[in-house]
Amino acid sequence: MESLSFESVNVGETEEFLSSAYTPMRIGGPVQDARVRISRRAVGPVAMDRLDFGYTMAYDADHLGRVA
């Protein structure tokens, strides 16, 4: 089983992580509570990610190339 976890309170770090873990993207919008927690559990080709943001996020991203 593969697992991954990420936590941050910095929007720039979060944007960088999401861009490397999923697809290049830019995060925009007002942020009062920048807390983010992301975890992944994977077995073989099936993965389940849980993303918990302390804010509402607007984003522009390329396609993932898989079912999301």
Side-chain angles (χ1 to χ4, degrees), residues 18-19 22-26 58-64:
L18 292 172
S19 291
Y22 298 101
T23 188
M25 68 176 66
R26 302 272 311 182
Y59 60 92
D60 183 17
D62 290 335
H63 64 87
L64 295 175

Side-chain angles (χ1 to χ4, degrees), residues 7-62:
E7 290 187 43
S8 181
V9 294
N10 180 290
V11 174
E13 286 178 2
T14 299
E15 183 178 90
E16 186 177 312
F17 173 81
L18 292 172
S19 291
S20 67
Y22 298 101
T23 188
M25 68 176 66
R26 302 272 311 182
I27 298 174
V31 176
Q32 293 178 353
D33 179 0
R35 287 179 294 153
V36 173
R37 180 178 297 137
I38 299 170
S39 62
R40 171 181 293 162
R41 301 290 182 259
V43 176
V46 178
M48 184 170 74
D49 294 3
R50 180 181 175 120
L51 290 78
D52 184 19
F53 291 84
Y55 54 93
T56 300
M57 180 178 75
Y59 60 92
D60 183 17
D62 290 335

